[in-house]
Amino acid sequence: RAKERGAGTVEVYAAHMHETVVSRLELQIHLREALAAGDFYLEYQPVVDLGSSQVTSVEALVRWDHDGRTVPPEEFIGAAEESGLIVPLGEWILREACQKVAVWRISDWDIGLSVNLSAKQVLSSRFVSTVAGVLAETGLPAEVLTLEVDEELLLDDGAEAVASLSELRGLGVQLAIDDYGMGYASLAHLRELSVDAIKIDPSFIDDLGRDDTVTLLTHTIIQLGRDLGVQVVAEGIERPEQLEQLRAMGCDHGQGFLVARPMSADGVEALVGGEVGVDL
Ligand code: C2E
Ligand code: MG
Ligand code: MG
Ligand code: MG
């Protein structure tokens, strides 16, 4: 009987796996259709200078309108990476965001743009020429664009990724390490790849002032950034005490729901047009 039950368990497990694989494939098909149909759109989250409370840049964040709801990137970026769709999707995101910010800059607004990258994109053969092409096409100066990569990218395919990213940096594009501090060798990564900014992982900001070790680590990252001449951005600021502490620690820039939520391009225009100010 035990054997029977064992076999049954395997069967249930296999059926579950089958379902997972099928829904994964379905998701990949839906994503492909969505790209063709134009069902992706971007939101932009303002990043402020913590000293002046001025919005200095926006981070583009992809969204997907599907079955009457907005699907967050965490639910589909993985599938887009697996299927390779992230390459054309990533190119669309980059072009869309660069076009938008190029238009804003025409009206004399000195604003920067950050775009997130997946490892698959960075490792695709045409990556450098794609980025250079989009900049040329949209007229956005290279220095205005920051490409965000996370530390995992430096672990898995380190050398190749570093080569492409360094080539882009040579063209003037800025690089940022996203979710900084979560990797096993966060300090070593700063040696492998020259970057212009580090974005402190929100888990640090969350425990700021509550956990002494985390507070000390955050302070150390900020100090490290200053010593290396690298911009430091604190991500996930939700509470006023966090903001106060980050300011006291001399952190350059901040991003988070307390500052501003991700919003439509129109929302950004309204915010900067003074209709809704960032009051910090
Ligand atoms: P990320 O690049 O670290 O982006 C920041 C995420 O934190 C965003 O989630 C943003 O909405 C959220 N966030 C910002 N402030 C706060 C806060 O105060 N509290 C909390 N709880 N969350 C905050 P989102 O848009 O869901 O994106 C999640 C992740 O998906 C991003 O993390 C990034 O890794 C990935 N992603 C988003 N857009 C793209 C994209 O265009 N391309 C690629 N490859 N990945 C993307
Ligand atoms: Mg990011
Ligand atoms: Mg990330
Ligand atoms: Mg992040």
Side-chain angles (χ1 to χ4, degrees), residues 163-182:
S164 290
L165 292 169
S166 302
E167 199 177 331
L168 283 167
R169 192 160 185 265
L171 299 177
V173 172
Q174 313 257 322
L175 300 181
I177 300 190
D178 207 353
D179 311 326
Y180 187 78
M182 292 308 281

Side-chain angles (χ1 to χ4, degrees), residues 10-277:
V10 168
E11 211 166 277
V12 168
Y13 182 58
H16 174 72
M17 289 224 323
H18 176 70
E19 207 173 275
T20 308
V21 171
V22 168
S23 59
R24 203 82 187 159
L25 287 173
E26 264 170 11
L27 175 58
Q28 295 184 353
I29 291 165
H30 286 309
L31 287 170
R32 204 162 286 279
E33 288 167 353
L35 184 59
D39 292 342
F40 290 104
Y41 67 95
L42 299 182
E43 284 194 323
Y44 300 88
Q45 189 177 27
V47 176
V48 297
D49 178 320
L50 291 179
S52 65
S53 300
Q54 294 285 313
V55 177
T56 52
S57 65
V58 290
E59 176 176 9
L61 297 162
V62 67
R63 304 286 181 254
W64 176 27
D65 261 344
H66 182 57
D67 278 348
R69 71 168 185 128
T70 297
V71 187
E74 255 120 24
E75 291 181 35
F76 65 83
I77 289 287
E81 282 168 352
E82 275 168 35
S83 67
L85 190 75
I86 194 69
V87 174
L89 174 60
E91 184 172 342
W92 177 82
I93 292 166
L94 183 71
R95 181 171 289 110
E96 174 78 11
C98 287
Q99 268 166 1
K100 187 55 83 183
V101 173
V103 169
W104 286 339
R105 290 183 62 89
I106 289 172
S107 36
D108 239 12
W109 175 22
D110 184 17
I111 188 150
L113 168 68
S114 280
V115 175
N116 292 284
L117 297 178
S118 290
K120 261 248 167 91
Q121 277 174 275
V122 178
L123 295 169
S124 77
S125 58
R126 300 185 349 91
F127 178 65
V128 174
S129 61
T130 298
V131 176
V134 168
L135 290 174
E137 211 179 282
T138 58
L140 196 74
E143 314 75 61
V144 170
L145 176 65
T146 299
L147 298 176
E148 296 189 5
V149 296
D150 48 38
E151 295 175 273
E152 280 156 60
L153 180 124
L154 299 173
L155 293 182
D156 300 341
D157 304 280
E160 268 176 88
V162 166
S164 290
L165 292 169
S166 302
E167 199 177 331
L168 283 167
R169 192 160 185 265
L171 299 177
V173 172
Q174 313 257 322
L175 300 181
I177 300 190
D178 207 353
D179 311 326
Y180 187 78
M182 292 308 281
Y184 285 108
S186 295
L187 290 175
H189 292 150
L190 291 176
R191 228 182 112 182
E192 289 161 33
L193 179 67
S194 297
V195 297
D196 305 281
I198 49 186
K199 300 188 78 170
I200 307 175
D201 192 80
S203 62
F204 286 84
I205 309 308
D206 196 36
D207 280 337
L208 203 60
R210 292 174 175 170
D211 177 318
D212 290 346
T213 307
V214 167
T215 307
L216 181 64
L217 283 171
T218 305
H219 196 257
T220 305
I221 295 174
I222 293 167
Q223 198 55 51
L224 181 75
R226 296 190 129 190
D227 291 347
L228 291 173
V230 167
Q231 296 271 5
V232 179
V233 185
E235 258 196 295
I237 304 174
E238 293 182 348
R239 303 186 303 272
E241 324 84 78
Q242 296 168 324
L243 183 70
E244 281 328 303
Q245 223 161 348
L246 288 162
R247 277 180 166 152
M249 288 176 174
C251 184
D252 309 308
H253 290 92
Q255 186 179 354
F257 293 169
L258 179 72
V259 177
R261 294 205 167 236
M263 57 183 80
S264 66
D266 287 349
V268 176
E269 286 171 25
L271 185 79
V272 172
E275 286 171 48
V276 196

